Amino acid sequence: MYCATVGVIAGGVIQGRFNSVDRSPKAENLQALITSIEITDDIAFVRLEAANWNGNRYTDMFLLLKGENGWQIITKVFHRHAVES
């Protein structure tokens, strides 16, 4: 299981960290790219594509809410893509 903590969105980049909360090995050579950000007032939707997460490719979608302490993730959903041969 993984969780994400976001500090702020600045210049189209999420600044934060990803924390492993189980004993999974560190994702070496992880490549992550934010492919879209939609902001309406104090809510935002962010799509992230991650490749080579321990041999897997994921699409993550985050819903964020801006409060007194900045942007926070309200929910995250993800899809693990089938392994390509």
Side-chain angles (χ1 to χ4, degrees):
M1 175 197 224
Y2 295 91
C3 65
T5 304
V6 170
V8 295
I9 297 178
V13 177
I14 294 181
Q15 299 172 344
R17 65 183 188 274
F18 293 88
N19 303 304
S20 174
V21 292
D22 64 6
R23 299 186 186 273
S24 296
K26 182 179 178 182
E28 300 290 336
N29 303 314
L30 175 66
Q31 299 172 346
L33 177 67
I34 296 171
T35 59
S36 67
I37 299 176
E38 295 181 36
I39 301 173
T40 303
D41 296 322
D42 59 354
I43 60 171
F45 174 80
V46 178
R47 181 180 177 139
L48 180 129
E49 298 293 334
N52 202 20
W53 187 291
N54 296 323
N56 295 295
R57 183 170 69 93
Y58 289 90
T59 298
D60 294 333
M61 297 179 184
F62 300 89
L63 181 62
L64 295 91
L65 179 64
K66 187 176 184 180
E68 294 177 6
N69 297 320
W71 290 99
Q72 294 185 344
I73 295 174
I74 300 304
T75 190
K76 172 195 170 193
V77 295
F78 69 94
H79 172 75
R80 185 178 69 171
H81 297 270
V83 176
E84 298 174 6
S85 315

